[in-house]
Amino acid sequence: MTQAPLGLLKRLFAGAPEAPAADAAPAVEPAPPKSRLGHEPALHAMLGRQILDAHLRNRHQLLDRAPTDFRTADANETHLLVLAMSAAAQADGELDAVERGRIRSRLGTSSLDEEARSRLEQLVDEPQCLEELVRRIDTPRLAARFYAVSLATVDKNAPINRSYLRYLAQRLGLPADLVVRLNRQMGLRL
């Protein structure tokens, strides 16, 4: 057999078209095969939507200072956050000197005047109703700050405080990834 018929036979068995005549137009390369199932565009759209949703849920983290920093909080927010710290500190049944010091140091960073600070310090000693405090939370940002200041107040190694923090995160409706990140920022691994 000669060389030309062998090449022709190979192309025929491989499913390739016959070689074009010299005067015919060159063949256009075929397009790459498309996905037979068609899932790829839907998968990309779904993943893109999930990434955007996660970003929009957590975008406040890029805009805010540390969630336990009271310098950016107004008077009402500071009041609520200090009461959140008090409720967390009293969750184990007592408000000890270390927890009281943590509350005072955070309160010292606020923009409140001396009279408002002293009134809040007096409220810290009184037991707080967690349900009433949680009802006052109206934004996801405030919920995250509420959890963060509670976390900053308590002894993270005490089992009762860990239980309280898990309950609080659930009660506030915080996303699990946000809770994990706040826990890591504050040195807690639940």
Side-chain angles (χ1 to χ4, degrees), residues 5 7 34 46-48 59-60 62 96 101-102 115 137 143 153 170 184:
K34 293 184 179 179
M46 189 170 56
L47 289 174
R59 71 183 180 273
H60 62 84
L62 301 173
D96 63 25
R102 289 176 184 155
E115 182 181 331
I137 296 173
T153 305
Q170 181 183 26
R184 286 183 181 157

Side-chain angles (χ1 to χ4, degrees), residues 20-185:
D23 60 337
V28 178
E29 280 192 40
K34 293 184 179 179
S35 174
R36 290 186 184 139
L37 300 176
H39 293 335
E40 194 171 305
L43 180 63
H44 285 238
M46 189 170 56
L47 289 174
R49 187 172 304 124
Q50 287 177 348
I51 291 169
L52 178 63
D53 288 345
H55 169 73
L56 292 175
R57 251 193 338 263
N58 297 319
R59 71 183 180 273
H60 62 84
Q61 298 157 17
L62 301 173
L63 303 174
D64 285 343
R65 293 183 180 191
T68 58
D69 186 3
F70 285 8
R71 288 179 280 188
T72 59
D74 64 9
N76 290 334
E77 189 173 338
T78 300
H79 186 265
L80 178 64
L81 294 177
V82 168
L83 294 180
M85 294 174 81
S86 173
Q90 295 174 8
D92 62 358
E94 65 177 313
L95 176 67
D96 63 25
V98 173
E99 293 167 335
R100 187 183 313 277
R102 289 176 184 155
I103 294 171
R104 282 194 179 132
S105 70
R106 297 289 177 203
L107 188 55
T109 65
S110 72
S111 60
L112 296 178
D113 60 5
E114 211 42 54
E115 182 181 331
R117 282 186 196 160
S118 64
R119 274 185 285 151
L120 271 176
E121 283 184 21
Q122 291 172 356
L123 286 176
V124 166
D125 293 327
E126 299 174 15
Q128 303 300 319
C129 176
L130 181 62
E131 294 305 314
E132 288 178 15
L133 296 175
V134 169
R135 279 190 219 116
R136 293 174 51 188
I137 296 173
D138 55 357
T139 64
R141 179 184 157 277
L142 186 55
R145 293 191 77 179
F146 192 101
Y147 180 81
V149 297
S150 299
L151 182 60
T153 305
V154 299
D155 172 20
K156 296 162 198 56
N157 296 320
I160 193 164
N161 289 335
R162 287 174 175 245
S163 296
Y164 173 79
L165 291 170
R166 278 192 293 271
Y167 172 76
L168 182 62
Q170 181 183 26
R171 190 67 184 86
L172 294 171
L174 297 175
D177 59 331
L178 176 61
V179 172
V180 168
R181 191 172 56 255
L182 288 171
N183 288 344
R184 286 183 181 157
Q185 282 179 352

Side-chain angles (χ1 to χ4, degrees), residues 10-31:
K10 286 182 182 176
R11 281 187 294 221
L12 285 174
F13 284 119
E18 290 187 37
D23 60 337
V28 178
E29 280 192 40

